[in-house]
Structures are given as structure tokens and as C-alpha cells.
Amino acid sequence: MQPNDSITPEQNELLKALQRDSFNYFVHMTNLANGLVFDKSREGWPASIAAVGLALAAYPVGVECGFMARADAVQRTLTTLRFFATAPHGPEADATGYKGFYYHFLDMNSGRRARRSELSSVDSAFLLAGMLAAAAYFQQQTAEEDEIRKLADALYRKADWQWMQNGEAALSHGWTPEKGFLRYRWKGYDEALLLYLLGLGS
């Protein structure tokens, strides 16, 4: 965050402290072995794929603000992308994802589906958007940053948007192996905008 001349130095410091505290959620609530992020800080909660996507987008902000070294951000990002690239993917009820989409909640350690959650289209969109944000930021010509770009692109291309339409124009909210597609669809001006931009871009 750059200093703002229209507010006092004390207000700038308060804003910077707030930004650092917000960023620190991703520092402290992430499993460094797989990159998964707790949905909330309450004990026993699973990871949320949306939180993982937000972490991936936050790491570049942390680097630019001096909250995290670039090398640390690269390692966290790579760990996360490598996990999703190799995680169990298929119609099984305990997989991590299916058809390029991922379950809303994942076990923090195993990375498999938690709480019988749905394969969430919009939460997957937040995850994929975070991956693409990381790929756009990490542009140095190093082996690690090159791998970030390649993995993010491959994971984005894996999403089967037409499958998630389930025969209609609007995307389904999600799918479960027990009951199939959810009855609701993404219509209107809301977070669905991200879904449709990613789908069209693919």
C-alpha cells in the first residue's frame, strides 16, 4: 500500500497495520506442506478452496508491500499448485476434485473432500483466479516461476465449463457424487461474473 497524501501519517500507519494483519491470516492459517488454507480460524475447520485462491492472490501483494520475501511467496505458491496438480481427481466421493473443479471444503492434511461438500463452481473460480493472478505476477525467468506459470495454465485449462452447464446456458452452483448437479444456477450480476469471464476465457 502506497502512502496517501490526503490522510494523516497516523491514518496511513493504521491502514498499513490493518493490511498486514489481514495478510497474516494467510501466513498463519496455511498448511505449508500442501498450501491449503483454513476456512476460518476455529479449531477443527477444514480448508476452503476460495481461501486458497485468495491466498494465491495475496502473496504478490505481500511481496510488494514488504510483508513477505519473494522467495517465500514463490515456495508457497509452488507448493499449492503442485498439490492441486497431483491431488486425487475423479468421480470418487473422497477425491479433491472432478472435471477440473474442486470441492468447497478439503481436509487440511489429506486435501480430500471434507464435510460431504459440493464440487463448487464459484469457489473453484476463486481458486483458479488466484492461480492465474500468481501466474501473471511471477514472471521472472527462473525455473520455479516458470513452473508456476505452467501449472496455473494447466489447472485452468482442466476445468470443463460445458460440463458444469449441465445442458443449459447458465452454470450450475455445483455437483455432488451422491446427488449430481445442484438445482440452482448462476444468474444475475454477482460473483457469477468471475465464473463467466473464466469460462469464456478458457
Side-chain angles (χ1 to χ4, degrees):
M1 181 182 71
Q2 297 301 316
N4 187 332
D5 292 335
S6 66
I7 60 177
T8 67
E10 292 78 12
Q11 290 171 324
N12 265 318
E13 285 304 310
L14 178 63
L15 288 172
K16 188 166 186 177
L18 179 62
Q19 189 178 39
R20 182 186 289 274
D21 288 345
S22 299
F23 178 76
N24 279 342
Y25 182 86
F26 302 114
V27 174
H28 301 302
M29 294 292 131
T30 298
N31 182 346
L32 296 180
N34 56 25
L36 297 180
V37 181
F38 278 108
D39 178 61
K40 59 179 66 177
S41 57
R42 237 182 250 170
E43 188 175 346
W45 273 81
S48 158
I49 59 169
V52 176
L54 292 173
L56 290 170
Y59 294 147
V61 176
V63 173
E64 291 297 310
C65 290
F67 299 156
M68 176 176 282
R70 187 183 186 96
D72 292 338
V74 166
Q75 284 307 312
R76 282 172 172 259
T77 301
L78 258 185
T79 295
T80 308
L81 295 177
R82 286 169 177 168
F83 165 75
F84 281 99
T86 59
H89 208 82
E92 299 79 15
D94 67 340
T96 298
Y98 182 47
K99 296 285 187 177
F101 296 90
Y102 300 91
Y103 287 103
H104 190 160
F105 297 116
L106 302 175
D107 182 272
M108 278 295 293
N109 296 309
S110 70
R112 291 177 179 266
R113 180 191 186 199
R115 300 193 171 200
R116 290 174 63 87
S117 59
E118 81 285 6
L119 198 73
S120 173
S121 55
V122 73
D123 292 282
S124 293
F126 282 116
L127 174 62
L128 295 173
M131 293 177 179
L132 293 176
Y137 179 77
F138 292 111
Q139 288 289 317
Q140 291 184 3
Q141 299 305 307
T142 65
E144 290 182 325
E145 296 198 17
D146 182 58
E147 186 179 356
I148 287 173
R149 296 190 294 273
K150 288 179 178 177
L151 286 174
D153 182 67
L155 288 162
Y156 171 49
R157 291 174 184 275
K158 194 173 184 178
D160 188 342
W161 301 95
Q162 290 178 325
W163 175 79
M164 190 56 81
Q165 288 177 263
N166 188 31
E168 296 188 23
L171 290 162
S172 170
H173 277 209
W175 176 91
T176 69
E178 293 82 15
K179 296 183 178 180
F181 286 97
L182 306 184
R183 58 179 291 196
Y184 302 105
R185 291 181 178 272
W186 286 105
K187 298 178 181 180
Y189 189 73
D190 50 28
E191 62 262 50
L193 181 61
L194 179 60
L195 274 168
Y196 290 112
L197 284 173
L198 289 173
L200 289 167
S202 71

